[in-house]
Amino acid sequence: MSYLPLSVSMVAVFFLPIIVPTIALDRRPSSNRMFFVSSARRLEKPISSVAVAAKAATITTVEPHPCSSMLDRRSVLTDIIFKGTVSATSVVFSFPIETPAALAANKEAKENLSTSGKNNRLKNRLGKRILTICGIMDELQRDLFQNRWDLIEQYPTQLRSFVPVLTTFTDTAFPGDGSDQGLRVALRYEVGRFFGAVERLKLAVSRKDIDAAYLAYANMALHFDRYLKAGILYQYQEISTEKYFENLDDSIIYADPRKNPAYVRDLVILASGPDKGRTGTVIGIFPDTQNRVVKLDRYDPTSPIREIKVVTKEWAALRLGEQDPDAVFLIPRKDAKEE
């Protein structure tokens, strides 16, 4: 009995799954194209670099395998056949073509990703720095309400030092392309109005004009608050409180604003409007409209932001009864000698 035909058959069955795909790869065209290998052998270990289709007729596209040389490709095929898990399915895989154009595109994508990450980190750092202005504004309010002219005159220079920070944040967070153009214009406008009010405060301090100083501070606070909103730096979402006081007017105790209006430094409660029931302090009065600029009490105890609202005289009602002073008076001065 001759065993030669049987031996030849066994060799052919054993090596065909390796030889056929390798020949196909050796004759592959110059463009990046998908190759298909079929096998009915169930093996032990899955290979993550290939995708196994659910049906024989289904072909799944996967990411290119990191191999580049023909020797590596033969090794991959051997691993797929002898080490992977294939069960009467079609396996789809491809190898990258490292052309100069592809390499340049990959390098550009990595650079863009790196630049985007750096811009986000810079934006976060600048945002935190900008929020420190909230604390400076609180300290300025404290000294202004106590008529400390010797201290107030130092604030314009301190606030002027934030010009590069605000400008860089605007350029980084809103580069001006596409839909960001409107926000960029709004931020630059609010910065201009804020520092214009800083100059008016400086002039009022030189004249020791308290009413002009109040008005300048109110404009500073208002435009800085609008800058925070336009720059998406608010740390909480505004929620209307009016609905919580429907049919509960008797629960809010305040003086009649028409008979006893609130003035600068008065503690008030908003008797009407979307912020009904919220409390704050009047920091300025616009002479042409008599509208009150109210610095609301802190909504979020963990946030440095105190929202600024411009309301009519009738909405800002004096609070009655014993009240705690504004929180700014609890801020200690950094230099104890100034007390």
Side-chain angles (χ1 to χ4, degrees):
M1 181 181 295
S2 176
Y3 294 96
L4 182 59
L6 180 59
S7 301
V8 172
S9 300
M10 292 178 63
V11 171
V13 171
F14 186 79
F15 286 101
L16 272 178
I18 302 176
I19 297 172
V20 173
T22 305
I23 293 174
L25 286 175
D26 287 338
R27 297 180 181 180
R28 66 189 184 91
S30 58
S31 60
N32 192 12
R33 186 171 297 180
M34 310 302 293
F35 298 91
F36 308 90
V37 180
S38 297
S39 176
R41 188 190 299 269
R42 178 171 297 277
L43 306 161
E44 298 178 358
K45 227 163 99 185
I47 300 300
S48 58
S49 60
V50 298
V52 180
K55 297 181 180 179
T58 303
I59 298 177
T60 305
T61 303
V62 297
E63 293 297 325
H65 195 277
C67 297
S68 58
S69 67
M70 185 57 62
L71 180 60
D72 291 336
R73 287 192 286 271
R74 289 194 180 101
S75 299
V76 171
L77 290 173
T78 304
D79 290 342
I80 292 173
I81 295 171
F82 291 103
K83 300 180 182 179
T85 300
V86 183
S87 178
T89 55
S90 295
V91 180
V92 184
F93 57 96
S94 64
F95 302 101
I97 303 301
E98 296 181 352
T99 62
L103 292 174
N106 188 33
K107 180 179 180 182
E108 182 180 359
K110 290 182 179 179
E111 290 177 351
N112 292 338
L113 183 61
S114 176
T115 302
S116 176
K118 290 179 181 178
N119 287 343
N120 287 335
R121 290 193 294 272
L122 178 61
K123 177 182 174 182
N124 292 336
R125 288 200 302 269
L126 293 174
K128 292 178 181 178
R129 180 79 187 279
I130 290 171
L131 289 177
T132 62
I133 299 178
C134 296
I136 298 173
M137 293 294 289
D138 288 345
E139 293 177 3
L140 174 56
Q141 179 190 341
R142 175 201 61 197
D143 296 335
L144 187 61
F145 282 7
Q146 293 178 345
N147 295 340
R148 294 295 303 269
W149 298 107
D150 57 323
L151 302 179
I152 298 171
E153 64 184 6
Q154 302 173 13
Y155 286 97
T157 303
Q158 184 181 7
L159 291 170
R160 273 286 175 188
S161 67
F162 283 89
V163 171
V165 178
L166 297 170
T167 302
T168 306
F169 176 82
T170 300
D171 295 339
T172 303
F174 306 98
D177 50 349
S179 60
D180 291 343
Q181 182 64 32
L183 290 174
R184 183 184 178 88
V185 172
L187 288 171
R188 289 190 175 274
Y189 173 80
E190 298 303 340
V191 168
R193 296 297 297 271
F194 174 75
F195 285 110
V198 170
E199 291 301 314
R200 291 194 293 274
L201 174 67
K202 184 177 179 180
L203 183 61
V205 171
S206 66
R207 298 176 178 176
K208 289 185 170 50
D209 186 343
I210 191 63
D211 291 331
Y214 285 156
L215 184 59
Y217 175 78
N219 278 289
M220 289 168 57
L222 176 61
H223 291 292
F224 180 65
D225 183 74
R226 289 176 176 174
Y227 180 91
L228 294 178
K229 291 177 180 176
I232 319 177
L233 289 170
Y234 252 65
Q235 297 176 324
Y236 60 87
Q237 184 177 3
E238 296 182 71
I239 300 176
S240 175
T241 56
E242 186 176 18
K243 60 183 179 181
Y244 300 115
F245 292 91
E246 292 180 357
N247 304 320
L248 294 175
D249 291 335
D250 294 339
S251 63
I252 305 177
I253 302 175
Y254 55 85
D256 188 345
R258 291 167 295 183
K259 297 179 181 179
N260 191 10
Y263 293 97
V264 178
R265 300 174 61 171
D266 284 338
L267 302 176
V268 297
I269 185 170
L270 299 185
S272 300
D275 296 290
K276 183 177 181 179
R278 294 190 64 181
T279 57
T281 304
V282 177
I283 59 174
I285 300 175
F286 291 142
D288 52 344
T289 61
Q290 291 299 303
N291 286 341
R292 269 52 177 173
V293 183
V294 179
K295 187 174 184 178
L296 297 178
D297 292 334
R298 192 166 280 108
Y299 180 81
D300 182 357
T302 63
S303 173
I305 298 173
R306 289 182 61 179
E307 194 174 358
I308 308 298
K309 291 290 184 179
V310 179
V311 299
T312 63
K313 180 174 64 175
E314 292 74 21
W315 283 16
L318 277 171
R319 284 184 267 172
L320 298 178
E322 185 177 356
Q323 303 290 331
D324 293 330
D326 192 286
V328 299
F329 295 110
L330 303 178
I331 303 174
R333 288 193 173 89
K334 296 179 182 179
D335 189 358
K337 296 180 180 180
E338 294 177 352
E339 290 292 344

